[in-house]
Amino acid sequence: MYYFDNSATTQPLEEVLTTYQKVAERYFANPSSAHRLGEEAKALLNQARQQIADILAFKEDEIYFTASGSEANNWFLRAVVPALKERRSKNQAKVLISAIEHPSMLRQLDILSNFACQFELIPVDDQGQIDLIALEEALKDEHVLAVSTMAVNNEVGSRQPLTKIGQILNKYPQIIWHVDAVQAVTACLNDLHHPRIDCLSLSSHKFYAVRGVGIFAKRQRVASQPMIYGGGQERSLRSGTENLAGIVATAKALRLAAERQHQTQAKLSNFRQQIIEQFETCGWHVFAKEQASPHIICAALPPIPGEVLLHAFEQADIFISTTSACSSRQHRAHASLTAMGVPAEISNSAVRLSMSQYTTEDELNYVLGQIPKISQAFQA
């Protein structure tokens, strides 16, 4: 098996699974319980929270745990934005969102009208990077409350210019900036260490941890309504008994990813370039070629549908995807490529290969050998 669908989910590391099992067995008590076992569980929870905060350059009490990255993204629009609106004037408020955001952002935009808010989509260029001139122009509207941008796009891998966006937003300190960083941990984790970023969303299963843990990092200056009401966990903003074993395993996985960033970037940049060259040699279109994370390659062989190409790779025991995992089974259009101006007859053929820090050279060489065979079968 040759697994190249790591943007959908990564395989948990053995050492992370070991941590998960040990915590689940030894620290099974509820962290909210007042007895000794509960206090031990609470201490372990706080330790994991501090470790994650240190890696992300946030404070310990600015880290909140959710059940997924999608929930963390929902938190921003459903709980932070309404709280910001309450603290500002009663005039119509606005949220700026890049046109290539994840469905967990784009598919909830209509709810903003419930808070008397509007949204504006900021376009991207042909590399999938946000149009900085359009962003600057949109920010001149005094009603803008918040901006949300990805760090790394989940479909084409485009890497957003966070430093330049931060420089622009420094002129508007009252505007809150949210970054969906779910795809950034593999090879772009250092991009997130920008002091202007106010909120971050992460998802455990994207960086070799178990599923079921999301992270919402929120600066103290950022107001928020409760995301889930109930027992008062997560400083009363996200109630529900904490997934302690998953959280501790996630903290370990994030630490390992941080320690291996430099090595991962170098290796995957080399691998990605070789795959791109092979695709282009075989007549494929490659997207976001110059401005993408090292771990993602998006390419198309029109007019062959992407789903057909996916199954051709699968027959060669290579597992890839078409669009994001959240959209592939619904056969939705390739939203990111559409926003980049790619015609439908090309974008419908798009597939995504995504690597991990544990992708090997043997796996790479196998894929490089299969791309010409698969291509020739359709071109014939």
Side-chain angles (χ1 to χ4, degrees), residues 228-245:
I228 297 178
Y229 293 85
Q233 291 88 351
E234 300 302 296
R235 291 178 287 282
S236 296
L237 291 182
R238 200 277 183 186
S239 292
T241 302
E242 300 89 347
N243 176 6
L244 181 60

Side-chain angles (χ1 to χ4, degrees), residues 66 68-76 178 200-202 214-216:
T66 68
S68 66
S70 290
E71 184 189 337
N73 281 343
N74 271 255
W75 186 328
F76 179 71
H178 167 254
L200 280 175
S201 298
L202 295 176
I215 298 169
F216 187 61

Side-chain angles (χ1 to χ4, degrees), residues 74 76-78 95-99 101-115 117-121 148:
N74 271 255
F76 179 71
L77 287 185
R78 291 178 178 267
V95 179
L96 307 180
I97 298 179
S98 85
E101 294 302 299
H102 188 268
S104 61
M105 293 295 291
L106 294 178
R107 291 179 66 82
Q108 60 168 325
L109 291 179
D110 289 344
I111 70 162
L112 291 177
S113 61
N114 297 337
F115 316 132
C117 290
Q118 297 174 325
F119 68 88
E120 180 177 344
L121 293 181
S148 184

Side-chain angles (χ1 to χ4, degrees), residues 259-268 357:
E259 291 173 352
R260 298 165 183 174
Q261 277 288 293
H262 181 74
Q263 177 183 356
T264 299
Q265 288 174 348
K267 180 180 74 170
L268 295 188
Q357 63 184 19

Side-chain angles (χ1 to χ4, degrees), residues 17-28:
L17 289 174
T18 298
T19 295
Y20 179 91
Q21 184 174 3
K22 287 181 178 179
V23 173
E25 290 176 349
R26 301 177 187 177
Y27 296 89
F28 56 85

Side-chain angles (χ1 to χ4, degrees), residues 6 39 49 67 116 142 162 240 327 361 380:
N6 289 280
E39 290 295 331
R49 197 188 305 272
E142 63 180 6
L162 298 186
S327 302
E361 191 164 358

Side-chain angles (χ1 to χ4, degrees), residues 139-161:
L139 286 168
K140 294 178 182 178
D141 186 336
E142 63 180 6
H143 298 129
V144 175
L145 286 175
V147 175
S148 184
T149 62
M150 280 183 155
V152 173
N153 177 263
N154 57 301
E155 293 187 323
V156 300
S158 51
R159 188 176 183 176
Q160 297 306 312

